Amino acid sequence: MTKGVRGDNAVLLRRLYTSLYRIRRVEEEIVRIYPTDKIKSPSHMSLGQESVSVGVCEALRKTDIVFATYRSHAAYLAKGGDLKRMTAELYGKADGAARGKAGSMHLIDMSTGMMGTSAIVGTSLPLAVGYALAERMRGKDTVVVVFFGDGAQEEGVFHESMNFAALKKLPVLFVLENNTYAIHTPLGARVPAANFRERAATYKMPTQLIEDGDTLALLEATEAAAARMRAGGGPEFFEVMTMRWLEHVGPGDDLHLNYRTKAELDAWKAKDQVKLIGAMLDDAARGQIQREVEEEVQAALAFAEASPYPADHELYEHVYHD
Amino acid sequence: MTKGVRGDNAVLLRRLYTSLYRIRRVEEEIVRIYPTDKIKSPSHMSLGQESVSVGVCEALRKTDIVFATYRSHAAYLAKGGDLKRMTAELYGKADGAARGKAGSMHLIDMSTGMMGTSAIVGTSLPLAVGYALAERMRGKDTVVVVFFGDGAQEEGVFHESMNFAALKKLPVLFVLENNTYAIHTPLGARVPAANFRERAATYKMPTQLIEDGDTLALLEATEAAAARMRAGGGPEFFEVMTMRWLEHVGPGDDLHLNYRTKAELDAWKAKDQVKLIGAMLDDAARGQIQREVEEEVQAALAFAEASPYPADHELYEHVYHD
Amino acid sequence: MTKLGTKPGREISYADALYEAVASEMDIDPSVFVFGLGVDDPKGMYGTTKDLHVRFGADRNFDTPLSEDAMTGVAIGAAIAGMRPIHVHQRFDFLLLCMNQLVNLAAKSSYMFAGAVSVPIVVRSIIGRSWGQGAQHSQALHSMFMHVPGLKVVAPTTPHDAKGCLIAAIRDNNPVIFVEHRMLYGNRGVVPEESYAVPFGKARTLKEGDDITIVAVSHMVVEALRAASHLEKVGVHAEVIDPVSLSPLDIDTIIQSSAKTGRLLIVDNAWTACGASAEIVAQVVEHFQQTRAIQVRRMGFAPVPCPTTKPLENLFYPNARTIAAKAYDMVKGADQHWLPEGPEAKEILEFKGPF
Amino acid sequence: MTKLGTKPGREISYADALYEAVASEMDIDPSVFVFGLGVDDPKGMYGTTKDLHVRFGADRNFDTPLSEDAMTGVAIGAAIAGMRPIHVHQRFDFLLLCMNQLVNLAAKSSYMFAGAVSVPIVVRSIIGRSWGQGAQHSQALHSMFMHVPGLKVVAPTTPHDAKGCLIAAIRDNNPVIFVEHRMLYGNRGVVPEESYAVPFGKARTLKEGDDITIVAVSHMVVEALRAASHLEKVGVHAEVIDPVSLSPLDIDTIIQSSAKTGRLLIVDNAWTACGASAEIVAQVVEHFQQTRAIQVRRMGFAPVPCPTTKPLENLFYPNARTIAAKAYDMVKGADQHWLPEGPEAKEILEFKGPF
Ligand SMILES: Cc1ncc(C[n+]2csc(CCOP(=O)(O)OP(=O)(O)O)c2C)c(N)n1
Ligand SMILES: Cc1ncc(C[n+]2csc(CCOP(=O)(O)OP(=O)(O)O)c2C)c(N)n1
Ligand SMILES: [Mg+2]
Ligand SMILES: [Mg+2]
């Protein structure tokens, strides 16, 4: 897997496993509940890709900023987003992260630096750059991370955002979550070569490849990159190989669609980061985390169930700020 | 300058010089006439950059296609566009290339493969790709050239167009006319590094640098590239170093604006391609060409003067095709 | 005024009608091709492009990178070269990435070049709704395109018109924004098997009535027809008009009906500000001037972004009951507080996510 | 109804008024910054941003790569972080590259996130005209933005309002599309030296009259005032209203004036289809319903792309004479064939290219 990590390995591993397992369990519950129609919100599961968010966010400060995508659950939770407000949001309830106006595709928790996500592919890239510009103008040493998919790099705004971030030497960490598919379309149908780091390097930014969604490698790499960025080193680029286990959107499997193979998916499941990190803990520690997470998840779901729907007059609120 | 060129050097050189000198003289005349207000059309002079269009277009067939920019005069004429219809267009007259509806920024001559130009930077790039796609679908071996400026490569659509052309292996020659300025802004204020060929190479296309707007080098390079593209080799990318002599738009000098130095401009003027190619001819040949061009240019201006303005009812024509 | 044939015949869905239109045109015209994100994927754009790549070859129905801006330019370039590309967008919202090419290039080329080029492209734009599509997956921006000379905009509602308009759009020598609504895809209706074009610029009167004219756009036509049924039960006879084509717009049919009823309610499947509904009102009153004061009302999306949570989403859209109530007030005088009973639209009730 | 103070005072140009607004806000609020293509170049956006980088530092007035889409996103991201960016576009036409960020992100963020973020950006959009700007450098697309909830749209006409509205726009906590017209830049007027905000949603009656209400937008206000002078000479008293702010729109002032005159002519500096003029007509007739049949007419760009050649360009735009003629017909009855004598607008006559 990876070389040694920071000082207190045990504490760190417990934190990582808690974060990973929590995302996993919440999503498993979403999958279970989805068919009941209680969650009427197109949900793009992070299941299988949890480690990308967890590895990166573990290296960030609370004041650092994360921009992510409609596949938002992992980043939201990894950056410390409130679980109850997330479940309530998916239920469309008034206690949701955005009072039910956002749904799964637009999670937000400003108090933890989790910026609201967008359902238009690639659109958060320049926002992250702009946020970093603002922080730098005010002399802060904030690091801004933007997660995006392999599909997003095809949008012109990716090129424009990389160019500008590099030009202005802004502290933006571009994290390409390469799950090799955009919905059902493999990379081969979209790019002449999957040489994303090579291209990123032409913007004069350091790049790194993280294989297998390796949580610990990502954590270490992010810590180092964040330190360089805080010191004014300019943007960096990570390509993280990973795989979603479920269909593009929704709770189901999708092997019957035949756009990817069972062997391919099984290979990824065999190197499941949640299991691998869990295996580094002893049974007692792991069991305790699992029990605590279970309790928290069930409490969050109960909270969502109990929360009221927003009142009718809320339809007209929040369009403008005074 | 460059190594030997095709068979009948003398004929070729006469053709090249005619083309270069013709563009030069027309633009000198536009500069002269402009203050009279007869040409009410924002004109972006090619003056100083003639060789880029001439070197490339000389290597093309009449059935090959050129997409260019609002800085359109050189490409239009080099691809064989009708000079009379061009001058009449600048005068806003009914005999113009587009009956006065287009002006300098939107020259077109479909009969010679000169596609209508756009005043929105970068927008012709995907059109060229689409045209090439269409030709390939119909089994034709047309080559499509798209000229664009160093500013255009900053637009997202450049990235998207390069990616798609490379993905589909389309016969598009991307010709970056690098005059190092976008209006008054130097490259240093717009890109972290001027490594355009490096980036183009990441799209898996062959790239070449042509220094000093070298007409003959460009001709040779284009001939070779066109042959490869006709054989299915996919898109290629040229970066041609060049310099405009006049202000961004309009007939004036602009050294008083202090965004570039006299020394810089003088260095370019010293390697003027029109002069250099002219010097390869003997005095008699050069003199004859100059006289012929002069006649043609004056005839074209007289034609433009004499042409009527379009009739009022034309305002409503051409919005839709039946 | 054109009527839909009511003679019995083969019934197919709106989605199948779209498929049939494209397939039949691809069959007779080799210059027609289809592309866009997901058109050849296992779901085949809700079935509307399902096996075109199998039937006509992989280069005539192909997926693309996520590059809406350039892909629009590719369509324009191919059209200038003489092809008839159909560019498909899973959501209308994504067209916001294509505005530069559509408005600055596609709409302008014929005119700027005095007819030297034509740009026969079809831009299929699917409006999303339901299951929490939210603010960025539910927009209907047809009025932005109606604003721009050089573009055509059509929004067929019935399977019959879906097929006929798509065929007409493909054959049209101009850029056509083809507006579809996801909630119409399952609707079934009589669709001739043979090829036919529904000409643009002809509205359809789907139901006759003397008391009020209801002009509805896209999915709102379905709701307006339901509203008209509610109204019949209380003795109010609404005339329901589907413009079908928004640009060009058949204002004459709307004017004639308004002259008859004296009341005009326009229900757009969009926001009203500077919308199709505003344009229709303006043209109607410009026509009548002071010769006739027509009572007019507009309904449309609430003037807010679309919320995801179901209770608010329900309020965001006009529906059969609120349309009926508004029409009733217009006929009987304001604030009658009549609201018919009735279930939510079945296509919305039955729709299951995730998308 | 708000009136412009007529007391004498310092006169400056519209362009200088814009400069003064930005400079004074940058002075008092460190979160304000300016960026866009050419803002710090030797021409300083026609002087409106001339030396801001010298006065306030190179990071508060800076040029950008040609990347309108991302730069809009950069503005939004910076605004979410608490800054107040002003993004300047040399031509309104370039905003077509920004539609996705402006409509899908800027307009939606506050609502989607239930007020957790605000997006206080100003998008300065300069309309081009004259000297053959042509189809791609002369568009005025404000109605597209008026259509979208979550955005504000203002189009000041006088130097006084240019300064006051820009200050208000900068202080506004929402995305504001700030519409300027190149032909207004040289116009001079009384502008207080001190800082002041002109509140949005208040129209201005620039001239009073009883015979007809002329509502004009942007540069057409200047032409409408000239038309009103022509009309005075033949005894027709036009009231001229400048909405100043298009979204929110002060329809009350327009309604009151229309009630007084019974005639409403709207002259937009844009196409009419689904335009601001359609929206104003619709709101006015929805207000009066059958209580009052107001005579209404719309004028705007010819429904074609803008041609470059001067004779056709002249026909493309309404002008003082054609506006006066239309108003005269409305007051006296159709087809009077009266057309006042008069020179072309001086700002257009005097304008020399190249751009
Ligand atoms: C601009 C835009 N185009 C298309 C879509 C439809 N769409 C949603 S997700 C997606 C695939 C994105 O793939 P990728 O960026 O690799 O992210 P992943 O879903 O794999 O996490 C597409 C095409 C969209 N939402 N936005
Ligand atoms: C999309 C867009 N943005 C901005 C402009 C304004 N503009 C016109 S030309 C130009 C500079 C382009 O520079 P480059 O591509 O290097 O071409 P050059 O003028 O040097 O030939 C700019 C910014 C425009 N026309 N279109
Ligand atoms: Mg992916
Ligand atoms: Mg340049």
Side-chain angles (χ1 to χ4, degrees):
Chain A
M1 192 144 190
T2 186
K3 33 216 157 102
V5 283
R6 293 184 301 194
D8 190 341
N9 256 329
V11 171
L12 172 66
L13 285 172
R14 275 203 292 274
R15 287 176 52 89
L16 289 173
Y17 184 66
T18 304
S19 189
L20 287 165
Y21 186 74
R22 194 159 161 262
I23 299 167
R24 174 67 53 90
R25 278 297 297 138
V26 176
E27 289 216 332
E28 286 172 348
E29 287 297 285
I30 294 170
V31 167
R32 185 180 59 76
I33 294 163
Y34 220 77
T36 66
D37 236 34
K38 283 181 180 164
I39 295 172
K40 284 198 180 67
S41 173
S43 300
H44 301 71
M45 300 301 170
S46 306
L47 224 145
Q49 301 192 186
E50 301 90 342
S51 65
V52 188
S53 295
V54 171
V56 169
C57 292
E58 179 62 29
L60 299 180
R61 299 179 183 162
K62 189 170 177 181
T63 51
D64 290 333
I65 298 295
V66 163
F67 283 87
T69 75
Y70 48 88
R71 197 176 300 291
S72 60
H73 305 162
Y76 174 94
L77 291 172
K79 190 65 176 63
D82 187 298
L83 177 57
K84 286 185 171 154
R85 298 193 67 202
M86 169 178 150
T87 52
E89 188 59 40
L90 267 62
Y91 275 71
K93 298 297 187 70
D95 295 307
R99 304 196 63 76
K101 282 178 168 160
S104 165
M105 297 196 291
H106 309 300
L107 290 181
I108 186 168
D109 191 339
M110 295 291 282
S111 69
T112 65
M114 172 70 188
M115 295 294 123
T117 55
S118 168
I120 309 291
V121 172
T123 48
S124 290
L125 286 156
L127 269 63
V129 175
Y131 204 109
L133 177 73
E135 292 292 271
R136 222 253 314 266
M137 284 172 101
R138 291 178 299 206
K140 298 195 192 163
D141 69 349
T142 312
V143 162
V144 179
V145 175
V146 56
F147 294 102
F148 58 103
D150 47 297
Q153 61 73 36
E154 286 148 23
E155 294 284 358
V157 74
F158 167 72
H159 164 64
E160 296 181 357
S161 301
M162 295 281 283
N163 183 60
F164 189 73
L167 175 71
K168 299 286 179 190
K169 285 195 167 302
L170 298 174
V172 180
L173 180 60
F174 291 90
V175 182
L176 170 55
E177 295 196 53
N178 190 354
N179 65 10
T180 74
Y181 294 97
I183 308 189
H184 310 121
T185 311
L187 276 170
R190 298 183 282 122
V191 291
N195 53 347
F196 307 121
R197 276 165 294 130
E198 236 181 87
R199 178 147 331 119
T202 67
Y203 298 98
K204 302 291 154 197
M205 53 178 99
T207 73
Q208 285 182 67
L209 172 68
I210 308 288
E211 300 273 16
D212 298 337
D214 186 329
T215 316
L216 298 175
L218 208 39
L219 166 58
E220 258 189 303
T222 308
E223 282 184 334
R228 286 189 295 268
M229 288 193 288
R230 287 192 220 284
E236 306 210 4
F237 182 90
F238 289 0
E239 175 181 3
V240 190
M241 302 309 299
T242 185
M243 183 55 60
R244 70 172 152 72
W245 292 6
L246 302 179
E247 58 186 339
H248 170 70
V249 52
D253 289 326
D254 65 1
L255 285 176
H256 61 283
L257 294 177
N258 283 320
Y259 72 97
R260 54 180 182 175
T261 65
K262 184 166 184 314
E264 184 187 356
L265 195 55
D266 284 347
W268 275 100
K269 288 185 177 171
K271 48 191 177 186
D272 176 17
Q273 285 287 315
V274 182
K275 268 228 188 73
L276 286 173
I277 298 286
M280 293 179 187
L281 298 172
D282 60 32
D283 291 354
R286 194 173 53 249
Q288 197 198 340
I289 289 171
Q290 291 182 347
R291 279 188 303 278
E292 284 168 12
V293 164
E294 202 57 42
E295 230 170 81
E296 193 197 353
V297 169
Q298 296 309 328
L301 291 171
F303 176 82
E305 291 267 0
S307 173
Y309 284 108
D312 286 0
H313 64 82
E314 296 199 40
L315 177 67
Y316 297 100
E317 287 169 13
H318 306 305
V319 183
Y320 294 98
H321 275 254
D322 290 337
Chain B
M1 191 143 189
T2 185
K3 34 218 155 103
V5 281
R6 294 183 303 190
D8 189 341
N9 256 330
V11 171
L12 172 65
L13 285 173
R14 275 203 292 272
R15 286 176 53 88
L16 288 173
Y17 184 64
T18 304
S19 189
L20 286 165
Y21 186 72
R22 195 160 162 258
I23 300 168
R24 173 67 52 92
R25 277 298 298 139
V26 176
E27 290 217 330
E28 285 171 350
E29 287 298 285
I30 296 171
V31 167
R32 185 179 60 75
I33 294 164
Y34 219 78
T36 67
D37 236 32
K38 283 181 181 164
I39 295 173
K40 285 199 180 65
S41 173
S43 300
H44 301 71
M45 301 302 169
S46 306
L47 225 145
Q49 300 191 188
E50 301 90 344
S51 66
V52 188
S53 295
V54 171
V56 169
C57 292
E58 179 63 28
L60 300 180
R61 300 180 183 162
K62 189 169 178 183
T63 51
D64 289 334
I65 298 295
V66 163
F67 283 87
T69 74
Y70 48 88
R71 196 177 301 291
S72 59
H73 305 161
Y76 174 93
L77 291 172
K79 190 65 176 62
D82 187 298
L83 177 58
K84 286 186 173 154
R85 298 193 66 201
M86 169 178 151
T87 50
E89 188 59 40
L90 267 63
Y91 275 71
K93 299 296 186 70
D95 294 307
R99 302 195 64 77
K101 281 178 169 162
S104 165
M105 297 196 291
H106 309 300
L107 290 182
I108 186 167
D109 191 340
M110 296 291 281
S111 69
T112 65
M114 172 69 189
M115 296 293 123
T117 56
S118 169
I120 309 291
V121 172
T123 47
S124 290
L125 286 156
L127 269 62
V129 176
Y131 204 109
L133 177 74
E135 293 291 270
R136 222 254 313 265
M137 284 173 101
R138 290 178 300 206
K140 299 195 192 161
D141 69 350
T142 311
V143 162
V144 179
V145 175
V146 56
F147 294 102
F148 58 102
D150 47 295
Q153 60 74 35
E154 287 147 24
E155 295 285 358
V157 73
F158 167 72
H159 164 65
E160 297 181 357
S161 301
M162 295 281 283
N163 184 59
F164 188 72
L167 175 70
K168 299 287 178 188
K169 287 195 167 302
L170 299 172
V172 181
L173 180 60
F174 292 91
V175 181
L176 170 54
E177 294 196 53
N178 189 355
N179 64 10
T180 73
Y181 293 97
I183 308 188
H184 310 122
T185 312
L187 276 170
R190 300 182 282 122
V191 292
N195 53 348
F196 306 122
R197 276 165 293 130
E198 236 181 87
R199 179 147 332 117
T202 68
Y203 298 99
K204 300 294 156 196
M205 52 178 99
T207 73
Q208 286 182 68
L209 172 67
I210 308 288
E211 300 273 17
D212 298 338
D214 186 330
T215 317
L216 298 175
L218 207 39
L219 166 59
E220 258 190 301
T222 307
E223 282 184 335
R228 286 189 295 268
M229 288 193 287
R230 287 191 220 284
E236 306 211 4
F237 181 92
F238 289 1
E239 176 182 3
V240 190
M241 302 308 299
T242 185
M243 183 55 61
R244 68 172 153 74
W245 291 6
L246 302 179
E247 58 185 338
H248 170 70
V249 53
D253 288 327
D254 66 1
L255 284 175
H256 62 282
L257 294 177
N258 282 320
Y259 71 97
R260 55 179 181 174
T261 66
K262 183 164 184 317
E264 185 186 355
L265 196 53
D266 285 346
W268 276 99
K269 288 185 177 172
K271 49 190 176 185
D272 177 16
Q273 285 286 313
V274 183
K275 268 226 189 75
L276 286 174
I277 298 287
M280 294 180 188
L281 298 172
D282 60 34
D283 291 354
R286 194 172 53 248
Q288 197 198 340
I289 289 172
Q290 291 182 348
R291 279 187 304 277
E292 282 167 13
V293 164
E294 202 57 42
E295 229 169 81
E296 194 197 354
V297 169
Q298 296 310 329
L301 291 171
F303 176 82
E305 291 269 0
S307 175
Y309 284 107
D312 286 1
H313 65 82
E314 296 199 39
L315 177 67
Y316 296 100
E317 287 168 15
H318 306 304
V319 183
Y320 293 99
H321 274 254
D322 288 337
Chain C
M1 169 167 117
T2 330
K3 280 206 195 178
L4 266 185
T6 44
K7 63 172 185 298
R10 182 191 59 144
E11 288 201 3
I12 63 172
S13 73
Y14 187 100
D16 287 342
L18 290 175
Y19 171 79
E20 211 168 89
V22 191
S24 67
E25 285 301 292
M26 289 176 82
D27 224 10
I28 58 174
D29 184 350
S31 67
V32 177
F33 70 93
V34 177
F35 73 129
L37 285 164
V39 294
D40 63 358
D41 88 352
K43 299 195 172 173
M45 205 50 63
Y46 314 113
T48 63
T49 57
K50 48 189 174 193
D51 59 358
L52 296 173
H53 47 294
V54 179
R55 284 182 62 182
F56 301 103
D59 60 345
R60 291 185 66 197
N61 185 51
F62 58 90
D63 209 336
T64 76
L66 281 89
S67 304
E68 287 85 353
D69 181 7
M71 291 307 110
T72 307
V74 163
I76 296 169
I80 288 175
M83 303 295 283
R84 296 187 172 274
I86 303 172
H87 190 194
V88 189
H89 297 271
Q90 215 155 3
R91 285 295 180 284
F92 204 139
D93 314 67
F94 306 159
L95 263 78
L96 289 162
L97 284 157
C98 311
M99 297 296 285
N100 181 50
Q101 285 289 340
L102 291 175
V103 177
N104 276 333
L105 280 284
K108 307 282 188 281
S109 291
S110 173
Y111 194 84
M112 285 203 308
F113 306 128
V117 304
S118 66
V119 184
I121 62 173
V122 179
V123 183
R124 285 187 48 200
S125 319
I126 305 174
I127 303 168
R129 176 165 172 187
S130 265
W131 198 271
Q133 300 281 321
Q136 297 176 328
H137 273 57
S138 59
Q139 288 171 95
L141 302 168
H142 39 275
S143 74
M144 289 188 180
F145 298 99
M146 292 172 66
H147 186 56
V148 180
L151 301 177
K152 296 188 179 183
V153 185
V154 291
T157 309
T158 61
H160 175 276
D161 287 346
K163 177 170 173 180
C165 284
L166 188 47
I167 289 175
I170 294 169
R171 294 181 189 170
D172 200 290
N173 286 323
N174 303 283
V176 178
I177 311 296
F178 193 88
V179 181
E180 309 164 19
H181 196 295
R182 184 79 181 81
M183 289 300 115
L184 293 173
Y185 273 25
N187 285 7
R188 298 174 68 80
V190 175
V191 176
E193 297 196 38
E194 67 274 14
S195 176
Y196 59 94
V198 168
F200 297 165
K202 280 276 160 213
R204 278 199 199 285
T205 303
L206 296 172
K207 178 186 171 303
E208 294 188 6
D210 290 327
D211 293 329
I212 183 169
T213 302
I214 304 180
V215 175
V217 176
S218 189
H219 182 245
M220 284 301 142
V221 171
V222 178
E223 294 287 43
L225 287 169
R226 289 180 185 128
S229 301
H230 287 306
L231 289 164
E232 284 295 329
K233 289 181 200 136
V234 292
V236 173
H237 309 296
E239 184 143 304
V240 178
I241 296 176
D242 175 358
V244 185
S245 147
L246 294 167
S247 181
L249 179 69
D250 173 10
I251 199 68
D252 292 342
T253 297
I254 296 170
I255 285 171
Q256 278 162 34
S257 176
S258 308
K260 178 175 72 175
T261 64
R263 302 184 184 93
L264 173 60
L265 172 61
I266 304 155
V267 190
D268 198 356
N269 189 85
W271 291 302
T272 58
C274 296
S277 62
E279 180 60 24
I280 292 171
V281 170
Q283 289 196 30
V284 168
V285 304
E286 280 183 316
H287 172 85
F288 286 112
Q289 294 297 353
Q290 279 139 316
T291 64
R292 184 82 194 271
I294 305 287
Q295 198 189 143
V296 296
R297 289 284 174 204
R298 293 181 289 166
M299 296 178 80
F301 294 172
V304 306
C306 181
T308 58
T309 183
K310 180 79 175 155
L312 299 188
E313 195 188 49
N314 286 348
L315 297 172
F316 177 80
Y317 292 104
N319 62 46
R321 297 165 69 225
T322 58
I323 296 168
K326 175 83 78 182
Y328 192 80
D329 279 358
M330 287 176 71
V331 174
K332 302 285 183 180
D335 299 323
Q336 298 287 326
H337 300 293
W338 172 75
L339 192 70
E341 298 286 315
E344 195 177 350
K346 79 172 188 339
E347 65 277 12
I348 294 166
L349 269 179
E350 286 170 5
F351 186 80
K352 289 267 156 148
F355 241 36
Chain D
M1 167 169 119
T2 330
K3 281 206 195 178
L4 267 185
T6 44
K7 63 173 186 299
R10 182 190 58 146
E11 287 201 4
I12 62 172
S13 73
Y14 188 99
D16 287 342
L18 290 175
Y19 171 78
E20 210 168 88
V22 190
S24 68
E25 285 301 291
M26 288 176 82
D27 223 12
I28 58 175
D29 184 350
S31 68
V32 178
F33 70 94
V34 178
F35 73 131
L37 285 163
V39 294
D40 63 358
D41 88 353
K43 300 196 172 173
M45 204 51 63
Y46 315 112
T48 63
T49 57
K50 48 190 174 194
D51 59 357
L52 296 173
H53 47 292
V54 180
R55 284 182 62 181
F56 301 104
D59 60 344
R60 291 185 67 198
N61 185 51
F62 58 91
D63 210 336
T64 76
L66 281 89
S67 305
E68 287 85 353
D69 181 7
M71 290 307 109
T72 308
V74 163
I76 296 170
I80 289 175
M83 304 295 284
R84 295 186 174 274
I86 303 171
H87 190 194
V88 190
H89 297 272
Q90 216 156 0
R91 286 296 180 283
F92 204 139
D93 314 69
F94 307 159
L95 263 79
L96 290 162
L97 284 157
C98 311
M99 297 297 285
N100 181 50
Q101 285 289 341
L102 291 175
V103 177
N104 276 332
L105 280 284
K108 307 280 189 283
S109 291
S110 172
Y111 194 84
M112 285 205 306
F113 306 127
V117 304
S118 64
V119 184
I121 62 172
V122 179
V123 183
R124 284 187 49 199
S125 320
I126 306 174
I127 303 168
R129 177 168 172 185
S130 267
W131 198 273
Q133 300 280 321
Q136 296 176 328
H137 273 58
S138 59
Q139 287 170 97
L141 302 168
H142 39 274
S143 74
M144 289 188 181
F145 298 99
M146 292 171 67
H147 186 55
V148 179
L151 301 177
K152 296 188 178 182
V153 184
V154 290
T157 309
T158 61
H160 175 277
D161 287 346
K163 176 169 173 180
C165 283
L166 187 47
I167 289 175
I170 293 168
R171 294 180 189 171
D172 201 289
N173 287 322
N174 302 284
V176 179
I177 311 296
F178 193 89
V179 181
E180 308 165 19
H181 196 294
R182 184 77 182 82
M183 289 299 115
L184 294 173
Y185 273 25
N187 285 7
R188 298 175 67 82
V190 175
V191 176
E193 298 195 37
E194 68 273 15
S195 175
Y196 60 95
V198 168
F200 298 165
K202 280 276 162 215
R204 279 199 198 285
T205 302
L206 295 173
K207 176 184 171 307
E208 294 187 9
D210 289 327
D211 294 329
I212 183 168
T213 302
I214 304 180
V215 175
V217 176
S218 190
H219 180 245
M220 285 301 142
V221 171
V222 177
E223 294 286 44
L225 287 169
R226 289 181 184 128
S229 302
H230 287 305
L231 290 165
E232 283 296 328
K233 290 181 201 137
V234 292
V236 173
H237 309 294
E239 183 143 304
V240 179
I241 296 176
D242 176 357
V244 185
S245 145
L246 294 169
S247 180
L249 178 70
D250 174 9
I251 198 69
D252 292 344
T253 297
I254 296 170
I255 285 171
Q256 278 162 34
S257 175
S258 308
K260 179 174 72 174
T261 64
R263 302 182 185 93
L264 173 61
L265 172 62
I266 304 156
V267 190
D268 198 356
N269 189 85
W271 291 302
T272 59
C274 296
S277 61
E279 180 59 25
I280 291 171
V281 170
Q283 288 196 31
V284 169
V285 304
E286 279 182 318
H287 172 84
F288 286 112
Q289 295 297 352
Q290 278 139 318
T291 64
R292 185 81 193 272
I294 305 286
Q295 198 189 143
V296 296
R297 288 284 174 205
R298 293 182 286 165
M299 295 177 82
F301 295 172
V304 306
C306 181
T308 57
T309 184
K310 180 81 174 154
L312 299 189
E313 196 188 48
N314 285 349
L315 298 172
F316 178 79
Y317 293 104
N319 62 46
R321 298 166 69 225
T322 58
I323 296 167
K326 175 82 79 181
Y328 192 78
D329 279 358
M330 288 176 71
V331 174
K332 302 285 182 180
D335 299 324
Q336 298 286 325
H337 300 292
W338 171 77
L339 192 71
E341 299 285 312
E344 196 177 350
K346 79 171 187 340
E347 65 278 12
I348 293 167
L349 270 179
E350 287 169 4
F351 185 79
K352 290 266 154 148
F355 240 33

